[in-house]
Amino acid sequence: MDSYINRKKTKKINVGNISIGGDSKIVLQSMTNIPTENIDENLLQIENLKKHGAELVRLAVRDETAIKPLSEIIKSSPLPLVADIHFDHRLAIAAINAGISKIRINPGNIGDEKRVREVVKAASEHSVPIRIGVNGGSINKKKYPHVTPESLVDSAMENILILEDNNFDNIVVSIKGSDIFTTIAANKLIASLRDYPIHIGLTEAGYGLSCIVQSSMVIGHLLMTGIGDTIRVSMTGDPVNEVVVGSKILESLDLKFSPIRIISCPTCGRTAADINLIELSQNVERELIQRFSEILIKKDKRIVVAVMGCEVNGPGEASEADFGLAGGQNGKMLLFANGERIKTILVKDAVKELIDAVSEKLPG
Ligand code: SF4
């Protein structure tokens, strides 16, 4: 798949059976929102996240009671897991011994040097990478009274240097603010200082549309400038939504293969009165995914399908796409395939006619 993005070369880090950085594809990750003690619910959520495109999942490990269930989850998880740990170095070591694929802990918060060395020893012995994760809430407020790109990066560098002083470089770094500009600037700065893979996203990004827009701006901007090796959309609510949005961001930038792309017009006063374009577009997309997704993935082919509301601008767009429908007069539509207008059809038969055309002319 061609890409217009020139990715910054980073160090390749192995996380269980996947890798982050180097020439690896961008890894889509999320986090469960259920206490680790609920083993079955966590496994169900991980399975569901995987089904929607997640490749790596993080779990919060709050205290030692979480370790036993964590080891059960690790044994049955279909995806590599990351243990999110704060302050307690014993939890990090226990999670590593339980078979976790990666830990997120900031060595600056662990305490004395001896504890850091113990974590580094365990991580090195098990080839477990450590993610240093800095956000506005984790910087030292006495030292850095304000959250700025520089204060975030200084905090990250303090943590990186602790690990490097212990000869440990199996590192992923993330710097997230809740503000778009600060987060982008901080990530550009850290990318200029080290070649560790970068986990990108906007933290405390809220929910719904506002989260989607803001996260897409930060993640999209950074990816387009070549920065970012793994992404997480942080969204209040069901983490599956994070993965759905993250997948769309990657697909939009051709960083993830999507076999079917639907183009539909916004509709306007010219839209043919007997066409419900949103319903038609959704039906077309659903049927195409059901019938052709697997075949197209196997062939590594993508089809672009245009669903347009009128015969003024519709035909132009529909003939540019691989397949297309454009609204016409009196309950009729025009059907296009491979740039050619092939026939006039009834609106009520549009989905079936389009599916038949795709079946017949599917790229070989
Ligand atoms: Fe309006 Fe036609 Fe353009 Fe759709 S394609 S927005 S109906 S002019």
Side-chain angles (χ1 to χ4, degrees), residues 160-236:
I160 288 171
L161 288 170
I162 293 172
L163 293 182
E164 288 178 344
D165 287 347
N166 282 278
N167 297 318
F168 189 87
D169 64 357
N170 198 8
I171 297 171
V172 176
V173 62
S174 74
I175 302 185
K176 299 180 184 178
S178 54
D179 167 75
I180 291 174
F181 299 104
T182 307
T183 304
I184 289 174
N187 277 278
K188 287 184 174 173
L189 192 51
I190 195 71
S192 70
L193 297 175
R194 287 293 189 275
D195 68 352
Y196 298 124
I198 302 183
H199 162 136
I200 57 170
L202 189 70
T203 192
E204 292 127 23
Y207 60 92
L209 198 54
S210 164
C211 169
I212 294 170
V213 171
Q214 293 189 76
S215 297
S216 303
M217 286 170 124
V218 168
I219 295 172
H221 177 91
L222 286 169
L223 289 176
M224 287 167 88
T225 53
I227 295 170
D229 300 281
T230 174
I231 71 166
R232 182 197 173 195
V233 173
S234 300
M235 186 186 284
T236 309

Side-chain angles (χ1 to χ4, degrees), residues 55 67 69 83 126 130 150 195 218 232 257 260 268 278 341:
E55 296 155 301
I67 295 298
H126 291 80
I130 296 177
E150 291 74 22
D195 68 352
V218 168
R232 182 197 173 195
F257 180 67
I260 292 157
C268 72
I278 178 71
R341 175 176 162 170

Side-chain angles (χ1 to χ4, degrees), residues 251-299:
E251 285 171 10
S252 304
L253 296 173
D254 272 350
L255 291 166
K256 181 175 179 181
F257 180 67
S258 97
I260 292 157
R261 179 159 177 238
I262 302 289
I263 293 171
S264 60
C265 79
T267 72
C268 72
R270 289 194 195 93
T271 310
D274 31 29
I275 296 176
N276 180 336
L277 206 74
I278 178 71
E279 197 178 282
L280 180 59
S281 304
Q282 286 169 338
N283 290 342
V284 163
E285 184 169 24
R286 192 188 56 245
E287 289 293 316
L288 288 171
I289 288 172
Q290 252 176 32
R291 289 165 192 252
F292 303 111
S293 246
E294 272 185 38
I295 304 170
L296 288 163
I297 288 170
K298 273 194 201 130
K299 289 173 183 266

